[in-house]
Amino acid sequence: MPHDFMPGLAGVPAATSSISDVDGQRGILEYRGIRVETLCAESSYLETAYLLLFGRLPSATEFQQWNRDVTHHRRIKFRIVDLLKCLPEQGHPMDALQAAVAALGMFYPGRNVKDVENNYWSAVRLVAKLPTIVAAWARLRRGDDPISPRDDLGFSENFFYMLTESVAPPLWADIFDDCLILHAEHTMNASTFTGLVTASTLADPYTVVASSIGALKGPLHGGANEEVVIMLREIGMVEKARSYVSRAMENKKKLMGFGHRVYKVKDPRATVLQQLCRRLFAESGSSPLYEVALEVEAAAGESLNSKGIYPNVDFYSGIIYDKMGMDIDLFTPLFAMSRVSGWLAHWLEQLRENKLFRPDQIYSGEHNRPYVPIDQR
Ligand code: ACO
């Protein structure tokens, strides 16, 4: 049966899912039917991860158990640390994360993906260990020893501790936790789809997540948050923002952190991130990058809003991480250590009725060409 080719599979459903929903016209994002704004106000990243993975908010006892399981599995094996030590320190942290996650699968074989119990522990390990790997790499590459996780600290507090060896101000941990909630899931995007293609072969969850990490790295997806801060630094001051945007428009250059395949209004995550920026700066002083970003948004809006192009999740997140002293190239790994819960939720959902992905193609080549021997070409 002939089909129309849809470049980028735009608008083509790849799954039926009850995990999250985007209303791109009204700028609404829900996880399991709950608005992300509500989750940021009321929930924590770890509780949101449970909601995504298991379909409902946990009871107090269930949350206690989930929290305990994740907390007890934060440590990584010394051989994973050894593996990280062998990687070139100039390499991108997303590559280090992908390599370490793939290697994790060798320590915790999860090949029988029909085993529900095993799948639970794989999910626990992946949610628990990604932050430890990200923090370990960030330290190792500058010659510092990794710091072991502390069981008395919450998920986000512990991440800061493993990164800096000090406990972050409560507001920072709180804001960071909200950032993790906002990045945890987003329907059928490139990295989720990549993971599902891998999962459809019944590969183990570590391989699934390693595949998704690879897709998230690119600058058209998660990698845009790095590019935004590079752009804002390059602009440098509010006065230069308008001329930068005009030049970009004249040269048909895409502004990083703007535009989305689904949202035709401002990404609701960008709106919450802006509120988080304001909370952070009220306590810790403003960031010149934020002032530049506001001016870029205003200037870009004049030419792009009529095309349905507005700031996306990547536009304001990097400004927060930068203010918290995180290296630019850690921004996408931070995205990954949050999004892992969304990837795994899709993996578990798909396993219930798995079908191998095997799309079609429209062949545009020739037929019946003769084979010409090499000495006659
Ligand atoms: N800046 C300027 N113009 C843009 C931008 C942008 N950021 N995004 C889209 N446009 C324009 C295109 O030039 C094109 O214009 P034209 O119709 O006049 O040729 C039109 O809008 C459609 O653009 P496409 O790239 O075809 O739209 P698509 O739906 O494929 O784009 C995408 C989505 C890839 C995210 C795009 O907006 C983009 O490249 N943005 C910049 C990178 C970015 O921020 N990525 C992060 C996305 S969020 C995430 O993945 C977590």
Side-chain angles (χ1 to χ4, degrees):
M1 193 170 52
H3 295 281
D4 287 336
F5 167 51
M6 299 300 293
L9 296 182
V12 179
T16 302
S17 177
S18 63
I19 299 169
S20 66
D21 189 40
V22 172
D23 180 335
Q25 299 300 330
R26 293 194 295 155
I28 295 173
L29 170 61
E30 293 172 332
Y31 297 167
R32 302 285 189 186
I34 305 178
R35 298 270 291 250
V36 280
E37 296 87 341
T38 309
L39 289 167
C40 283
E42 307 289 342
S43 185
S44 63
Y45 171 70
L46 216 48
E47 187 186 58
T48 299
Y50 186 102
L51 169 73
L52 289 168
L53 285 160
F54 307 113
R56 57 178 174 77
L57 289 168
S59 68
T61 323
E62 285 167 337
F63 183 69
Q64 231 177 7
Q65 183 66 47
W66 168 241
N67 189 17
R68 198 164 42 229
D69 290 344
V70 171
T71 304
H72 286 175
H73 285 83
R74 285 171 179 165
R75 277 168 187 71
I76 51 174
K77 293 199 180 277
F78 79 87
R79 287 204 189 155
I80 295 287
V81 175
D82 285 351
L83 171 98
L84 292 173
K85 281 182 185 164
C86 292
L87 301 175
E89 59 266 28
Q90 309 83 347
H92 197 284
M94 282 296 271
D95 294 330
L97 183 62
Q98 190 182 34
V101 168
L104 275 184
M106 299 171 78
F107 291 100
Y108 310 104
R111 273 180 219 119
N112 181 8
V113 292
K114 302 223 160 73
D115 181 336
V116 175
E117 173 90 6
N118 206 13
N119 287 351
Y120 173 79
W121 289 110
S122 300
V124 165
R125 286 196 188 96
L126 281 158
V127 170
K129 293 185 197 299
L130 258 68
T132 315
I133 296 170
V134 173
W137 172 255
R139 294 182 63 81
L140 283 166
R141 69 174 172 171
R142 53 169 200 252
D144 294 331
D145 274 334
I147 296 172
S148 293
R150 256 177 59 184
D151 288 0
D152 61 318
L153 297 177
F155 192 86
S156 290
E157 287 173 302
N158 176 61
F159 177 68
F160 268 96
Y161 173 72
M162 291 190 298
L163 201 61
T164 62
E165 211 173 2
S166 56
V167 178
L171 179 74
W172 283 29
D174 202 33
I175 288 176
F176 186 73
D177 208 64
D178 282 351
C179 292
L180 295 182
I181 292 176
L182 292 171
H183 288 86
E185 159 62 11
H186 207 248
T187 73
M188 195 52 63
N189 52 81
S191 55
T192 300
F193 182 54
T194 302
L196 288 181
V197 172
T198 304
S200 79
T201 69
L202 300 184
D204 66 87
Y206 301 93
T207 307
V208 170
V209 171
S211 308
S212 293
I213 291 170
L216 186 68
K217 184 185 171 195
L220 293 187
H221 193 11
N225 56 13
E226 294 181 30
E227 306 284 335
V228 170
V229 169
I230 292 168
M231 172 182 80
L232 296 176
R233 283 193 182 157
E234 192 186 322
I235 297 172
M237 53 176 82
V238 174
E239 296 72 27
K240 292 192 177 163
R242 280 189 175 266
S243 56
Y244 182 95
V245 171
S246 315
R247 258 199 323 279
M249 296 297 116
E250 275 161 33
N251 298 329
K252 302 224 167 297
K253 193 176 151 211
K254 277 188 176 170
L255 287 176
M256 289 292 127
F258 277 83
H260 200 278
R261 181 64 63 75
V262 185
Y263 292 116
K264 298 305 158 207
V265 294
K266 189 163 172 176
D267 186 329
R269 300 168 296 176
T271 306
V272 180
L273 284 163
Q274 242 181 305
Q275 291 159 5
L276 296 177
C277 280
R278 287 196 287 267
R279 270 179 71 200
L280 178 64
F281 302 152
E283 183 176 284
S284 307
S286 191
S287 155
L289 294 185
Y290 184 59
E291 307 303 325
V292 175
L294 289 178
E295 191 64 13
V296 169
E297 182 180 349
E302 289 163 17
S303 18
L304 294 179
N305 289 1
S306 58
K307 287 172 143 187
I309 298 165
Y310 290 83
N312 60 44
V313 67
D314 289 321
F315 194 60
Y316 287 106
S317 58
I319 299 173
I320 295 178
Y321 301 147
D322 179 70
K323 182 73 187 172
M324 291 178 173
M326 316 241 182
D327 295 335
I328 288 189
D329 60 359
L330 287 186
F331 297 173
T332 319
L334 301 180
F335 195 153
M337 67 185 227
S338 156
R339 183 57 62 86
V340 68
S341 53
W343 292 330
L344 290 167
H346 282 272
W347 165 65
L348 290 173
E349 183 177 65
Q350 181 175 279
L351 278 179
R352 279 185 230 125
E353 253 175 282
N354 188 62
K355 187 165 170 70
L356 178 71
F357 272 103
R358 200 333 181 164
D360 209 348
Q361 64 165 16
I362 297 167
Y363 179 63
S364 63
E366 299 172 39
H367 289 287
N368 294 322
R369 290 176 78 188
Y371 177 82
V372 181
I374 196 160
D375 56 347
Q376 293 168 33
R377 285 175 221 158

